[in-house]
Amino acid sequence: MRPVKFDPSPDPSADRAFLGLALAEARRAGEAAEVPVGAVVVRDGEVVATGRNRVRESGDPTAHAEVVAIRAAAARLGNYRLTGCDLYVTIEPCLMCAGAIVHARIRRLVYGAAEPKFGAVQSLIPLTTLGLPHRLAVASAETAPEAAAEAAREARDLLRSFFRARRRPTRPGDREGSSEGSSRSAGG
């Protein structure tokens, strides 16, 4: 069984709006010195929960934006099964987050930019190869109409700027290119 199908949006303007909210969460994460990733859970066109990376703030390596948003949505709805809910996230989820998305029974995932180092939806580990029983509709904003594709570029630019700033030498003699290089390895 193929659990993932790449799904064109039934409402591209809604996708862009919700990705915009996820981008706002990503910016908040970056302002808090977290890897700038944001997520929004939506049901029936209404925001149920939002999340941003909180790995450093919480000291919890699982506090990725997707997991934070899923936990908040489950608490608000009183059910760990988020059937009928869609998740909008700025960056392609990692394997841990993809697992949480599947376990929560998210109906549709829309992500901004691909994550070639840790992406577990199509980049590094295609979700379709895992043989999972839950069918998850997926849309990447990178391949969407222009408005949503702009959100993917914004998400990618946020990450690049964040890591570029972290790699800048802060003292004479510091070397550029510190070991902190990947969005997911640094808590994204």
Side-chain angles (χ1 to χ4, degrees):
M1 184 181 332
R2 292 178 59 97
V4 176
K5 68 175 184 164
F6 285 88
D7 185 35
S9 176
D11 185 354
S13 64
D15 282 356
R16 175 58 181 112
F18 293 127
L19 281 172
L21 294 175
L23 280 164
E25 288 295 314
R27 286 186 202 94
R28 288 182 56 213
E31 290 165 3
E34 298 277 359
V35 175
V37 179
V40 176
V41 177
V42 174
R43 185 170 72 178
D44 298 328
E46 293 192 26
V47 174
V48 174
T50 62
R52 62 178 174 83
N53 275 359
R54 294 177 179 260
V55 172
R56 292 171 186 243
E57 173 188 319
S58 67
D60 177 358
T62 69
H64 291 196
E66 301 92 333
V67 172
V68 170
I70 287 169
R71 286 176 179 160
R76 180 170 177 201
L77 297 174
N79 194 338
Y80 70 98
R81 297 273 171 114
L82 302 178
T83 54
C85 290
D86 301 334
L87 178 67
Y88 293 82
V89 63
T90 55
I91 300 297
E92 178 183 4
C94 70
L95 185 58
M96 175 188 71
C97 293
I101 290 163
V102 168
H103 281 286
R105 302 299 194 264
I106 294 290
R107 175 181 59 190
R108 183 168 178 261
L109 167 68
V110 180
Y111 67 89
E115 215 302 5
K117 292 184 180 178
F118 287 89
V121 175
Q122 74 176 24
S123 295
L124 182 64
I125 305 168
L127 200 55
T128 57
T129 64
L130 300 179
L132 301 171
H134 174 60
R135 288 192 174 269
L136 173 67
V138 176
S140 168
E142 289 184 318
T143 60
E146 187 57 33
E150 179 60 30
R153 284 190 289 279
E154 289 178 48
R156 192 172 35 256
D157 290 347
L158 268 175
L159 274 179
R160 285 181 180 156
S161 295
F162 176 82
F163 285 110
R164 193 174 300 123
R166 288 184 57 164
R167 291 183 187 113
R168 266 191 218 119
T170 55
R171 299 174 300 197
D174 281 353
R175 294 183 326 145
E176 285 194 57
S178 73
S179 62
E180 314 221 21
S182 170
S183 61
R184 294 295 173 178
S185 66

